[in-house]
């Protein structure tokens, strides 16, 4: 290998505390910090020589200086940012730099303290221009707002200068002086043949399989999926489609919570007996495939690589939700998403995959990309019957209990009844399975040293207490043996909203109706309309209901309907498709291409179904809102633009309004006031609401509650 001499020019910053920071000029990848001058220079020389040895000829030429650099100093004044109480006086700084001629017509100045280079025609020109660039660099280091930005014209999203700016400035001033020295090193240059050999060796180096970057191997050694119950027929159908004479991708269609992913895991667990012995099963999703892929064509390249690796390994890939695959990867509605991109591979059989979706999402996918669905063999997973679901939950509890924790028949029966009544937002058996799993784990956690009687019985009392903790519902609603103390209920509500005895009586009567089980099924727990002028306690009454029904006033999702005065604004409640391609309000079906934004209202209810939903000043919303309310109050559910169902049957829907408040109490003809008093108030406000709302919506409201000054 040829060896060439190289003159290195070392810039050494002497820092406060005796530390030295050395770096060779034109070698920014080399920086060495030490407290001994001989050590710091020796390390810098060695690292720079190694870096120079890997350079090609043209790059070598760019890293060498024709003339010896020289040192200089620039002084500048840094003014304090505005509105900064901790920094009020200008600060004078002296920054050392090195400079060298660059060709015949320019010079380059390097300021190591801030890490910038300044190019000018002459040295005086460099010294004149440097302060402006240095101030900008210092502002960037401190994270401060430029001086031209004031409170009135300040750009949004820019942070105000903080006390941390002074700290960064203090670190900048730790540089006491800069020393410039020259040293000779001998660089052993790698030949072109050696550089190509090293590049080929790097290319042949075993790469981490893509699936380990974007997912995981379900069939890996040591990965023992949990068993699924009562799904033998469905697992056999999936295995037949994947391992038959003409293998096809499989699409599992079923409501959320029915166990579609559990079917895939059971397939992995029993693949040897199902004719899929030795077939690896991978798991990924659309979100994981695009994670970190910011450049044009990056996620497409990743998908191609996944298909090639899966084909080479003869693997089955669990792709997750099909609707997500259709949406993810689309940019402003242009071009296909991951689902569309993978469609040719699925149709040709190059990619053997399993995907899943709900029936509502299947309808959307068929509208957006009908040929994508044709690539799959559709297997429908129906919700099990109550008896089958109870057997599944009982077997799961027995497996987890391991003979030490036993869910009694009465406890199992209550678990299933509570989840059928209060967990309608998820199909059986997902919610009760997770619930009994938590019950068993809690029992083991409460007795780390073992059970005194040898076995712990989990009965109805344990189930009721755990369900109340999970949902926030009061125990008197869950346990038929607990009576409702109506006077105490009135006192609780009256203590939160003082001076509204009529409203409190109406709400207490409604709570008694709910306790008696006389509320209409498959509807919200209650639908209420609070009417009265501003400031009388309508919102506070809603908070009182949240605290009473769900244990905390924070269990309330409030929406100001004055912010939803247009059809587009109302669309945001159920989600939509960016770029103007809206989703149908009633059914949530997308009519255009693009990634559907999650609905504000539906997302809140899906996240916390046990809550008070407060629609404030409902009369100010666009009339399309009332189409949504017809579904919410009539069917207790709402489907968003992505086909996800939000269940309102465990929510208390409260609307507030000022309808009729302006005319209430105004004097009329004769001796009687227009609004009247006492019982006339309810009639007055009921009439105002009846005049405003459509009859079908008016009839779905459980109570109209006047709240008056």
């Amino acid at each position: 290998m040829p060896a060439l001499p190289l003159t290195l020019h070392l810039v050494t910053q002497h820092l406060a505390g005796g530390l030295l920071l050395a770096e060779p000029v034109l070698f920014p990848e080399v920086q060495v910090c030490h407290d001994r001058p001989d050590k710091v220079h020796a390390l810098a020389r060695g690292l720079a020589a190694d870096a120079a040895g890997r350079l090609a000829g043209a790059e070598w030429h760019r890293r060498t200086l024709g003339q010896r650099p020289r040192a200089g100093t620039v002084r500048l004044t840094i003014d304090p940012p505005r509105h900064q109480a901790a920094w009020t006086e200008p600060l004078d700084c002296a920054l050392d730099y090195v400079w060298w001629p660059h060709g015949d017509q320019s010079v380059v100045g390097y300021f190591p303290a801030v890490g910038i280079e300044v190019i000018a025609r002459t040295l005086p020109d460099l010294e004149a221009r440097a302060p402006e660039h240095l101030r900008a660099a210092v502002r960037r280091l401190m994270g401060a707002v430029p001086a031209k930005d004031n409170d009135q014209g300040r750009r949004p999203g820019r942070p105000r200068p903080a006390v941390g700016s002074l700290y960064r400035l203090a670190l900048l001033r730790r540089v006491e002086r800069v020393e410039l020295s020259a040293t000779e090193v001998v660089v052993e240059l790698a030949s072109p043949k050696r550089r190509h050999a090293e590049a080929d060796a790097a290319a042949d180096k075993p790469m981490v399989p893509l699936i380990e970057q974007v997912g995981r191997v379900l069939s890996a050694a040591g990965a023992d999926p949990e068993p699924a119950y009562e799904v033998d027929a469905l697992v056999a159908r999936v295995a037949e489609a994947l391992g038959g004479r003409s293998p096809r991708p499989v699409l599992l269609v079923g409501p959320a919570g029915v166990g579609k992913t559990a079917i895939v895991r059971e397939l992995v667990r029993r693949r040897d007996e199902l004719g899929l012995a030795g077939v690896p099963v991978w798991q990924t999703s659309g979100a994981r495939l695009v994670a970190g892929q910011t450049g044009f064509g990056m996620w497409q390249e990743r998908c191609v690589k996944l298909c090639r690796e899966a084909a080479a390994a003869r693997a089955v890939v669990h792709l997750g939700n099909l609707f997500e695959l259709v949406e993810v990867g689309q940019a402003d509605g242009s071009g296909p998403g991951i689902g569309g991109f993978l469609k040719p591979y699925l149709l040709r059989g190059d990619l053997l995959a399993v995907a899943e979706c709900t029936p509502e999402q299947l309808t959307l996918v068929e509208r957006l990309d009908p040929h994508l669905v044709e690539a799959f063999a559709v297997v429908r997973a129906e919700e099990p019957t109550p008896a089958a679901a109870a057997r599944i939950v009982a077997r799961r509890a027995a497996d987890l209990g391991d003979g030490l924790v036993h869910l009694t028949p009465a406890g199992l029966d209550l678990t299933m009844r509570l989840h059928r009544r209060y967990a309608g937002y998820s199909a059986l058996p997902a919610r009760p399975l997770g619930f009994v799993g938590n019950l068993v784990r809690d029992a083991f956690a409460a007795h780390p040293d073992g059970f005194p009687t040898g076995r712990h019985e989990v009965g109805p009392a344990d189930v009721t207490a755990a369900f109340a903790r999970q949902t926030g519902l009061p125990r008197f609603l869950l346990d038929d043996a607990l009576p409702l103390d109506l006077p105490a209920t009135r006192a609780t509500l009256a203590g939160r909203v003082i001076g509204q005895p009529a409203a409190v009586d109406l709400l207490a009567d409604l709570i008694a109706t709910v306790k008696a089980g006389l509320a209409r099924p498959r509807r919200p727990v209650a639908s209420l309309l609070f009417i009265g002028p501003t400031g009388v306690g309508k919102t506070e009454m809603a908070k009182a209901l949240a605290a009473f029904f769900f244990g905390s006033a924070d269990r309330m999702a409030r929406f100001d309907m004055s912010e939803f005065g247009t059809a587009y604004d109302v669309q945001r409640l159920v989600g939509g498709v960016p770029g103007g391609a809206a989703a149908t309000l009633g059914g949530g079906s997308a009519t255009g291409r693009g990634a559907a934004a999650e609905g504000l209202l539906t997302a809140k209810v899906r996240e916390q179904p046990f809550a008070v939903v407060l629609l404030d000043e409902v009369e100010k919303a666009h009339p399309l809102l009332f189409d949504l309310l017809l579904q919410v109050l009539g069917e207790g559910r709402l489907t968003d633009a992505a086909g996800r169902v939000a269940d309102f049957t465990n929510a208390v829907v409260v609307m507030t309004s000022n309808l009729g408040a302006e005319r209430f109490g105004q004097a009329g003809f004769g001796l009687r006031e227009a609004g009247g008093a006492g019982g006339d108030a309810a009639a007055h406000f009921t009439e105002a609401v009846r005049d405003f709302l459509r009859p079908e919506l008016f009839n779905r409201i459980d109570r109209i509650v006047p709240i008056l000054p």
Side-chain angles (χ1 to χ4, degrees), residues 156-180:
R158 300 292 301 273
R160 292 182 181 272
V163 177
S165 302
L166 287 172
Y167 176 72
R168 297 186 182 98
L169 188 60
L171 292 179
L172 180 65
R173 299 187 70 183
R174 289 186 63 198
V175 181
E176 296 178 345
R177 62 188 176 91
V178 173
E179 179 185 358
L180 184 62

Side-chain angles (χ1 to χ4, degrees), residues 545-559:
L545 283 175
F548 184 84
F549 271 110
F550 308 113
S552 171
D554 295 332
R555 287 283 190 95
M556 185 176 75
R558 180 181 180 274
F559 296 89

Side-chain angles (χ1 to χ4, degrees), residues 304-382:
V304 170
K305 187 176 181 181
L306 177 70
C307 293
R308 290 175 179 172
E309 290 187 3
R314 298 182 180 274
V316 174
V317 183
H318 182 212
L319 293 172
N321 189 276
L322 183 63
F323 186 76
E324 178 188 280
L325 292 174
V326 173
E327 285 192 314
V328 171
Q330 291 182 339
D332 296 329
S334 61
I338 291 180
F341 184 83
L342 294 178
K343 180 169 58 178
Y345 297 89
L346 295 167
L347 288 169
R348 291 195 303 263
D350 296 341
L351 177 63
L352 200 58
V354 178
E356 57 188 57
C357 68
T358 65
E360 295 84 1
Q361 292 173 336
L362 179 62
T363 302
L364 299 181
V365 173
E366 287 175 336
R367 293 183 182 181
L368 295 173
D369 196 342
H371 297 295
L372 177 60
V373 178
E374 295 173 0
F376 293 92
V378 177
V379 176
R380 295 189 177 271
E382 303 294 342

Side-chain angles (χ1 to χ4, degrees), residues 48-274:
D50 291 341
R54 294 189 293 269
L55 298 177
E59 184 65 20
W60 172 277
H61 176 72
R62 285 193 290 268
R63 297 289 189 98
T64 56
L65 291 177
Q67 300 184 35
R68 183 185 183 94
R70 302 175 187 178
T73 303
V74 170
R75 304 193 67 87
L76 72 154
T77 300
I78 303 175
D79 295 326
R82 299 188 60 183
H83 306 291
Q84 177 60 273
W87 178 7
T88 59
E89 298 295 331
L91 295 179
D92 292 328
C93 290
L95 297 180
D96 295 322
Y97 70 99
V98 296
W99 67 275
W100 60 89
H102 183 69
D104 297 331
Q105 298 182 351
S106 61
V107 295
V108 177
Y110 174 57
F111 296 83
V114 293
I116 67 169
E117 293 180 356
V118 180
I119 301 178
R121 293 186 180 274
T122 63
L123 181 59
D125 187 23
L126 173 66
E127 293 178 343
R129 296 180 58 186
E132 177 185 356
H133 294 279
L134 291 173
R135 289 191 185 95
V138 170
R139 283 198 297 266
R140 288 194 297 270
L141 288 175
M142 296 189 302
V145 178
K148 64 181 181 180
D149 292 339
N150 52 33
D151 281 350
Q152 289 75 28
R154 197 164 150 275
R155 290 192 289 266
R158 300 292 301 273
R160 292 182 181 272
V163 177
S165 302
L166 287 172
Y167 176 72
R168 297 186 182 98
L169 188 60
L171 292 179
L172 180 65
R173 299 187 70 183
R174 289 186 63 198
V175 181
E176 296 178 345
R177 62 188 176 91
V178 173
E179 179 185 358
L180 184 62
S181 61
T183 184
E184 296 288 334
V185 295
V186 177
V187 179
E188 294 184 354
L189 296 178
S191 64
K193 181 178 180 180
R194 179 184 172 185
R195 287 200 299 270
H196 284 295
E198 291 176 351
D200 293 340
D204 295 337
K205 186 178 180 180
M207 300 293 291
V208 177
L210 179 63
I211 188 59
E212 295 184 12
Q213 304 175 38
V214 300
R216 63 193 185 102
V217 180
L218 293 178
S219 56
D224 188 15
E226 294 180 349
Y229 313 99
E230 306 273 341
V231 292
D232 294 350
L234 291 173
V235 172
R237 290 179 58 190
V238 174
E240 181 181 359
L242 294 173
R245 293 184 177 180
S246 300
R248 291 188 63 190
V250 174
L251 176 62
L252 287 167
V253 180
V258 78
K260 300 183 290 295
T261 303
I263 291 172
V264 177
R265 293 178 178 173
E266 181 69 8
L267 174 73
V268 174
R269 200 175 68 87
R270 298 171 48 197
R271 68 185 190 281
D272 290 348
E273 63 185 80
L274 293 171

Side-chain angles (χ1 to χ4, degrees), residues 185 256 377 418 461 592 603 664:
V185 295
L418 289 177
F664 183 74

